[in-house]
Amino acid sequence: SPEMVLPCSICESVHIDPELSENFGVSVCYDCKDSNPLFGIITKTQARNEYMLTDEELADSSLMPSISRKNPHNPRWADMKLYLRLQVREFAINKYGSEDAIKEALESKNETRTDRKSKQFLKKLKGTITYQYYI
């Protein structure tokens, strides 16, 4: 018997995107996929930077399904891990409690980074200051 294909979870269309269905277990048609950015694919770096997830969380395929693709910048580099934005976002909301909490965590991370960078800059400056005495 042919495998039963679930209709689109949004509009009930039967023209399901097989990549999302097979790799991420999401039943969505091409039109709904194209009209909703949550059905887009994001890289591991984006998942880390935009949703504050760790490498360990992203590496666990039972938590976070992913697909591997050759790196378009250089095929000899490691394969890219790609994730469904919808699933990454849902995981992050469960982890942090809300979308606002994710934003707050991102802001505090960015502030910490900025503080560290300015401290490094000041330290470097202090090392290069020479005093000139005018007579």
Side-chain angles (χ1 to χ4, degrees), residues 42-61:
I42 64 173
T43 64
K44 183 178 184 175
T45 303
Q46 286 173 297
R48 275 199 319 249
N49 295 346
E50 294 175 30
Y51 294 96
M52 298 284 293
L53 299 185
T54 65
D55 285 344
E56 294 76 25
E57 289 163 340
L58 293 167
D60 186 338
S61 58

Side-chain angles (χ1 to χ4, degrees), residues 3 20 30 77 79 87:
E3 194 177 320
L20 293 188
Y30 292 101
W77 291 349
D79 285 358
Q87 292 173 341

